[in-house]
């Protein structure tokens, strides 16, 4: 939620990962810190701790969540910051050294610790009592109709797990 993670202090991760939209966004493509259009839109951050494939972004270029979290920060369109400048900035900020001390045992701030802190925050974002969660708990297989879904929603879910084969990449479950 801190816009100082962007080069000009205008854009936070939450600028695109909107909590009200399952930490995703409703735009076709994201908008970066200088108002330029990004090539893709921001994926949801919900339940990434359970993502079996373990690779992130639409093209799966990030091998770990720790590497993923720094890529938007340093992307020249998304947030435009350099990691070296960010480390220096956070070291000088009176808020961050005590937070790093509480989290890591010392107030040292470095790229690895920034990545670990952001990745751990994302791992803490899990769905709880969403309509999907409630529907899934009511049946013994994700492929069965959820009693709390409309016919149209169940048809969409059926396509997602069936013929459309979306679930092969998007959090397979059964």
């Amino acid at each position: 939620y801190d816009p100082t993670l962007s080069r000009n202090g205008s854009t936070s991760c939450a600028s695109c990962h909107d909590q009200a939209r399952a930490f995703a966004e409703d735009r076709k493509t994201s908008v970066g810190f200088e108002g330029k259009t990004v090539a893709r839109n921001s994926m949801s951050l919900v339940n990434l701790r359970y993502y079996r494939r373990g690779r992130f972004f639409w093209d799966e270029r990030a091998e770990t969540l720790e590497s993923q979290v720094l890529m938007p920060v340093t992307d020249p369109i998304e947030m435009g910051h350099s990691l070296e400048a960010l480390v220096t900035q956070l070291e000088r900020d009176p808020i961050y050294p005590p937070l790093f001390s509480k989290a890591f045992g010392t107030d040292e701030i470095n790229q690895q610790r920034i990545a670990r802190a952001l990745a751990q925050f994302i791992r803490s974002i899990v769905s709880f009592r969403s309509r999907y969660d409630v529907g899934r708990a009511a049946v013994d297989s994700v492929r069965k109709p959820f009693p709390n879904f409309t016919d149209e929603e169940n048809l969409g879910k059926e396509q997602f797990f069936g013929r459309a084969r979306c679930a092969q990449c998007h959090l397979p479950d059964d």
Side-chain angles (χ1 to χ4, degrees):
Y1 295 97
D2 188 349
T4 64
L5 295 179
S6 67
R7 188 172 75 206
N8 65 4
S10 67
T11 304
S12 71
C13 301
S15 298
C16 296
H17 296 282
D18 182 4
Q19 184 173 359
R21 290 181 166 65
F23 292 92
E25 65 183 332
D26 62 349
R27 292 183 222 131
K28 183 178 179 182
T29 56
S30 300
V31 176
F33 75 106
E34 292 181 320
K36 296 178 184 174
T37 302
V38 178
R40 297 179 172 103
N41 75 339
S42 297
M43 300 174 79
S44 174
L45 300 177
V46 175
N47 293 332
L48 290 184
R49 73 177 303 130
Y50 304 115
Y51 186 52
R52 294 180 196 160
R53 292 172 64 94
R55 298 183 66 88
F56 301 93
F57 289 111
W58 290 108
D59 59 4
E60 298 188 330
R61 68 185 176 273
E63 293 184 16
T64 66
L65 195 50
E66 283 74 11
S67 64
Q68 182 276 329
V69 294
L70 296 178
M71 290 178 179
V73 173
T74 60
D75 184 279
I77 297 174
E78 292 182 47
M79 297 174 84
H81 221 316
S82 78
L83 292 176
E84 296 78 18
L86 180 60
V87 167
T88 300
Q89 173 187 321
L90 296 181
E91 287 173 334
R92 292 179 181 161
D93 188 316
I95 294 172
Y96 281 98
L99 292 174
F100 275 74
S101 183
K102 284 183 178 182
F104 298 105
T106 71
D107 64 359
E108 178 187 2
I109 297 175
N110 59 44
Q111 296 174 21
Q112 294 78 20
R113 284 182 168 187
I114 294 170
R116 287 178 62 199
L118 290 170
Q120 183 59 28
F121 172 71
I122 290 172
R123 286 186 181 100
S124 75
I125 302 172
V126 294
S127 63
F128 178 71
R129 294 188 185 160
S130 71
R131 288 185 62 240
Y132 180 90
D133 297 329
V134 170
R136 179 63 181 95
V139 296
D140 62 1
S141 170
V142 72
R143 299 187 194 300
K144 291 187 177 178
F146 289 1
N148 64 328
F149 273 27
T150 65
D151 289 343
E152 186 176 42
E153 290 168 331
N154 273 311
L155 179 60
K157 183 178 66 65
E158 182 181 319
Q159 295 300 312
F160 182 87
F161 287 103
R163 189 174 66 171
R165 300 172 51 168
C166 306
Q168 288 186 339
C169 296
H170 296 281
L171 303 175
D173 187 14
D174 202 334

